[in-house]
Amino acid sequence: MPDPTSSSDPAVTVAVAQIRQVEQGQARSPVVHTIFDEATFTASHIVYDPVTREAAIIDSVLDYEASSGRTSHASARKIVDYVHSERLTVQWQLETHAHADHLSAAPWLQQQLAGKLAIGAEITRVQNVFGKIFNAGTEFARDGSQFDHLFRDGDRFSVGGIEAIALHVPGHTPADMAFIIGDAAFIGDTLFMPDYGTARADFPGGDARQLFRSIRRLMELPDATRVFLCHDYKAPGRDHFAWETTIGAERTGNIHVHDGVSEDEFVAMRTARDATLSLPNLIMPSVQVNIRGGHMPEPESNGTRYIKIPIDTL
């Protein structure tokens, strides 16, 4: 097994050093509290520095009823309640990518709790692709300006006094980011629990070969790295939801991409599997909202906001 400290990848080298500092007691480990939204199978994470009480919220959920088009905030209110109960100060509202299976509650949470809204800089590619699919018009900016901050690969930041680094991990979408905060890795839609496998790569702009390389990059992190997932769907034979694992467990036990699986084998498996999958139930509203930073489309002349559904396109 290669030594993670000898990576030729500069950003991974920084991430490894950051995690090693926590392992050696030279830096603090963040506290992570997860709120699981069973309706969308989404794990939203609140991560914070236990000393400064400063926090980041990762991949929040806005409740959306597809049959009526109504939104509500039950899931997001749980985040607000937890932040208040723990007396946290929110610095960041982080999105690992533009989700296709749930709407982001980040703008509403910003109103309640503050925090900069951030996503990967390649969101502009996603905005361009889906801006055309949904015929969003010239009024829809495709420059990422709906977000307060765009992360690039290797960008360093902090949550309170805990060091953090952003890693670009494309494949599921072109814009996926993993946020390594202390010794905790928030990896979005790249890996699932080891018994469930990996994320799909067949959305516009997705690429199974890129996904494999992104995953192998993450697997250069130390075995003990805590890994927090964006989703869980219960693998066959498992009757409970799970969203936390380790890099070591993924490296040795992930059913799709454990050590020894070649890139070509993974691409063949992922391509064949993706061909059998239907689109997520909420892809139409989710993508249109999330490429806008969680904001709804602008009201039309009658004052009502609308979600478009392209016919025979996706």
Side-chain angles (χ1 to χ4, degrees):
M1 182 182 300
D3 178 3
T5 62
S6 64
S7 174
S8 60
D9 184 322
V12 170
T13 298
V14 171
V16 169
Q18 174 184 297
I19 294 163
R20 294 294 191 210
Q21 284 189 316
V22 177
E23 291 179 339
Q24 295 163 9
Q26 299 170 351
R28 291 191 292 275
S29 179
V31 175
V32 181
H33 178 75
T34 301
I35 292 173
F36 190 77
D37 180 66
E38 194 166 337
T40 61
F41 306 102
T42 303
S44 300
H45 307 290
I46 305 158
V47 53
Y48 65 92
D49 180 336
V51 174
T52 69
R53 317 299 288 179
E54 291 170 296
I57 296 168
I58 303 175
D59 293 337
S60 59
V61 175
L62 178 71
D63 299 304
Y64 177 79
E65 185 180 272
S67 60
S68 66
R70 292 192 175 274
T71 62
S72 57
H73 305 100
S75 181
R77 284 189 190 280
K78 293 178 183 177
I79 294 175
V80 172
D81 290 346
Y82 182 82
V83 167
H84 286 162
S85 70
E86 296 300 316
R87 299 183 179 179
L88 306 179
T89 299
V90 176
Q91 290 181 291
W92 294 100
Q93 304 278 350
L94 300 177
E95 299 289 351
T96 55
H97 62 293
H99 313 279
D101 38 32
H102 71 271
L103 283 67
S104 170
W108 186 81
L109 286 169
Q110 281 187 299
Q111 293 175 356
Q112 309 300 312
L113 302 169
K116 289 184 179 180
L117 174 56
I119 199 167
E122 293 299 312
I123 187 62
T124 56
R125 290 182 57 191
V126 180
Q127 289 176 327
N128 273 306
V129 169
F130 282 99
K132 292 175 183 176
I133 289 173
F134 291 111
N135 196 29
T138 56
E139 67 275 12
F140 169 56
R142 294 160 168 83
D143 57 2
S145 58
Q146 300 86 348
F147 300 84
D148 300 317
H149 185 81
L150 300 180
F151 279 108
R152 299 188 181 279
D153 185 56
D155 281 354
R156 301 177 73 173
F157 63 109
S158 65
V159 176
I162 296 176
E163 292 185 354
I165 187 169
L167 300 181
H168 185 214
V169 286
H172 174 63
T173 80
D176 280 62
M177 300 298 291
F179 299 110
I180 318 302
I181 303 173
D183 64 338
F186 301 87
I187 63 171
D189 284 14
T190 50
L191 292 162
F192 297 133
M193 291 299 289
D195 59 0
Y196 200 88
T198 58
R200 65 195 297 168
D202 60 329
F203 294 149
D207 186 296
R209 201 166 294 279
Q210 271 194 331
L211 179 60
F212 178 87
R213 294 173 184 176
S214 293
I215 290 169
R216 295 313 306 179
R217 192 179 189 213
L218 289 171
M219 288 185 177
E220 291 188 57
L221 300 176
D223 279 356
T225 304
R226 296 185 290 159
V227 174
F228 294 89
L229 312 176
C230 187
H231 294 288
D232 185 57
Y233 304 97
K234 291 184 183 176
R238 174 158 55 85
D239 62 2
H240 64 281
F241 291 110
W243 48 78
E244 181 178 355
T245 181
T246 65
I247 287 294
E250 294 284 9
R251 184 187 289 124
T252 59
N254 188 286
I255 60 171
H256 292 166
V257 71
H258 56 78
D259 284 346
V261 174
S262 72
E263 182 173 318
D264 287 342
E265 289 172 333
F266 175 80
V267 170
M269 177 283 301
R270 190 69 264 171
T271 302
R273 181 174 172 80
D274 288 351
T276 70
L277 301 177
S278 58
L279 288 174
N281 291 335
L282 295 181
I283 188 171
M284 298 301 181
S286 294
V287 173
Q288 287 176 78
V289 169
N290 294 334
I291 60 175
R292 292 176 165 87
H295 295 281
M296 297 294 167
E298 290 298 313
E300 297 194 8
S301 58
N302 61 355
T304 301
R305 302 174 190 268
Y306 291 90
I307 296 292
K308 293 182 178 180
I309 299 180
I311 305 300
D312 298 329
T313 300
L314 294 176

